[in-house]
Amino acid sequence: MRSYCAIYVDVGYLLASSATRVTGTSLRRGVTVDHESLIRGVIEQAEQDSGMPLLRVNWYDSGGRPGGMPDIHQEHVGLLPRVKLRLGRLSQTGEQKGVDLRMGLDLATYGRNRVVDVIYLISGDDDLTEAVEEAQFHGLQVVIMAVPDQRGRPHAVARNLQREADNVILIDAATIDAAVKPVALPPALIPGGEDKSVESASVAPHEDAPGGGLEPSAEGIPAPAASPDTTDRSAQPGEPAEPAAPHPNGARGTPAAVPSRPGPDTGTDADPGIDAEAPAPPHTAAPKPSVLAGKRPSTILPPKAAPPMWTTSTGGASRGEDIGLVDIEAIDAVVRQVIATWVLSATPEMLIELRKSEPFIPGDLDRTLLLDLSSRTGEYDINDASRHVMRDRFWEQVKRLRLG
């Protein structure tokens, strides 16, 4: 009988860990994925490592549509050669249901029937440890294929799972970097892109915002363009003027809501009451065309850097240890990065809905916050005090988001 290898892919782990590698956060909506290229690269690596042909790739994910039905991306994956789509479902709170159970049962079945000789498991879930042991009991080798982090180590693989597996190898970093791309534009293409901070380099303008709708501010964070309700500014040639107060004798009582037409010779306003030679006031800018047209905001701008949290009034050290918190700076960094990544694919309408849901954080964002904090700190179980602080900090940052 010919020997084969098989690949079991926990898609939640693969894409969340890959997103962390390229964006700094596990939020899957922050990346675009070339599934065909990613699967092809993993297959080639498994066949080369085992010296055996591939029998099949089992692709385990939650159905992207109600009832556990596949979405358009999952349909495409299911049509690829030698790929078997194995779908669980999402609960009302957005949690995966049935995915881990399917993987565990398939591992045990393949082992019992000796369908293959080597299984490459792309997952980090500790719940699969017993299923790995069952497959090994029937003579199979189980090798963990882990996503490498930026330091070249397995990302988010449980220690128990690593210990029970026959080997742990890393997916080729070039395969992930070529197939998984951040939604953000390269920093060089963003105004003010010289600043490599999270707030400035990872925010891309919305597609239908003329000119991006952003202007770099002094702090390196994109600031909103001039809005029509800006006060204490004088009209410039060719732009609408502010409504003038009525003149005592009625000569200047006409509102200036419509732009004035240039004079025949000077090219300036024909109204003799306006000094055509007066210089424009400094640091003023004409409204964007979208503002003049009455266009609604089309992008979300991240908040400026907030002051350090949980510090004493005398400037002393953080008091996080006093209430059993994990690293305070890690909490703040995770919250900022998750929000900065969420902003890239969010619309103003999504921000409004998010604010309406307070204090309940949507399931995908809440899981991302906890997973990222766990990965950053190495704490498998985040304590309640840290969870409360992180969620409070999340809403503080959301309230400071601006529309542009």
Side-chain angles (χ1 to χ4, degrees):
M1 181 177 178
R2 190 179 184 186
S3 297
Y4 288 94
C5 67
I7 302 174
Y8 283 19
V9 182
D10 179 349
V11 178
Y13 166 80
L14 175 61
L15 298 189
S17 298
S18 298
T20 301
R21 174 179 172 81
V22 301
T23 68
T25 178
S26 59
L27 191 64
R28 286 171 59 172
R29 70 169 65 187
V31 295
T32 59
V33 183
D34 182 348
H35 294 90
E36 188 170 357
S37 172
L38 182 60
I39 293 173
R40 182 171 58 250
V42 169
I43 290 176
E44 292 174 355
Q45 185 174 350
E47 289 183 331
Q48 181 178 2
D49 184 76
S50 66
M52 304 174 188
L54 176 78
L55 175 66
R56 186 177 298 114
V57 174
N58 280 5
W59 189 263
Y60 298 90
D61 200 3
S62 298
R65 295 193 295 175
M69 299 299 293
D71 60 23
I72 185 171
H73 299 294
Q74 293 165 338
E75 288 276 11
H76 174 70
V77 169
L79 294 175
L80 297 176
R82 297 186 293 175
V83 176
K84 176 70 173 179
L85 197 60
R86 301 283 283 159
L87 295 180
R89 62 195 181 281
L90 289 174
S91 68
Q92 294 293 332
T93 59
E95 294 180 293
Q96 283 192 158
K97 296 295 182 181
V99 175
D100 293 342
L101 180 59
R102 283 182 181 272
M103 293 187 72
L105 291 175
D106 288 349
L107 275 168
T109 300
Y110 270 41
R112 190 178 307 114
N113 297 326
R114 290 301 302 269
V115 178
V116 296
D117 292 307
V118 182
I119 291 180
Y120 289 88
L121 179 61
I122 302 178
S123 179
D125 195 343
D126 193 17
D127 291 341
L128 295 175
T129 301
E130 285 71 26
V132 168
E133 292 177 337
E134 177 68 17
Q136 291 171 327
F137 179 76
H138 293 287
L140 265 66
Q141 290 186 20
V142 180
V143 178
I144 302 298
M145 291 186 74
V147 174
D149 61 18
Q150 292 292 350
R151 292 172 289 183
R153 301 186 301 186
H155 180 267
V157 179
R159 183 67 63 181
N160 287 337
L161 187 60
Q162 293 189 49
R163 184 169 56 246
E164 295 302 330
D166 293 291
N167 194 13
V168 178
I169 65 175
L170 298 177
I171 300 174
D172 188 358
T175 297
I176 295 176
D177 295 342
V180 182
K181 300 292 186 181
V183 173
L185 292 173
L189 300 182
I190 302 175
E194 296 80 11
D195 186 351
K196 299 300 188 294
S197 64
V198 169
E199 289 84 358
S200 63
S202 61
V203 177
H206 198 271
E207 290 179 344
D208 57 355
L214 310 179
E215 293 181 356
S217 66
E219 295 81 5
I221 303 172
S227 58
D229 59 352
T230 303
T231 57
D232 297 330
R233 59 185 299 271
S234 302
Q236 297 182 3
E239 86 171 287
E242 295 292 334
H247 194 275
N249 60 12
R252 305 270 307 172
T254 304
V258 180
S260 57
R261 292 188 294 269
D265 298 322
T266 63
T268 58
D269 292 343
D271 191 336
I274 299 178
D275 184 3
E277 300 296 327
H283 307 298
T284 59
K288 297 287 184 181
S290 60
V291 175
L292 295 178
K295 189 175 175 122
R296 298 175 62 187
S298 60
T299 191
I300 305 172
L301 309 181
K304 297 181 180 180
M309 56 185 296
W310 297 99
T311 56
T312 63
S313 58
T314 59
S318 169
R319 296 187 288 109
E321 296 82 358
D322 298 340
I323 56 176
L325 293 178
V326 299
D327 184 61
I328 296 296
E329 293 183 358
I331 292 177
D332 211 24
V334 165
V335 169
R336 288 199 309 267
Q337 186 64 62
V338 169
I339 289 179
T341 303
W342 178 82
V343 162
L344 300 176
S345 58
T347 63
E349 291 75 18
M350 293 170 64
L351 176 59
I352 293 172
E353 289 301 317
L354 177 63
R355 285 174 171 167
K356 287 181 179 178
S357 69
E358 187 180 359
F360 300 105
I361 302 176
D364 60 334
L365 288 174
D366 196 45
R367 285 190 299 275
T368 298
L369 289 168
L370 291 173
L371 179 60
D372 288 0
L373 184 59
S374 179
S375 298
R376 181 179 285 264
T377 61
E379 297 283 343
Y380 179 75
D381 187 16
I382 304 299
N383 60 54
D384 288 342
S386 300
R387 294 179 185 221
H388 287 308
V389 170
M390 182 169 62
R391 288 162 178 159
D392 288 344
R393 186 62 171 168
F394 173 85
W395 288 116
E396 290 175 14
Q397 294 288 320
V398 168
K399 290 174 183 177
R400 296 173 61 240
L401 290 173
R402 299 165 291 147
L403 295 178

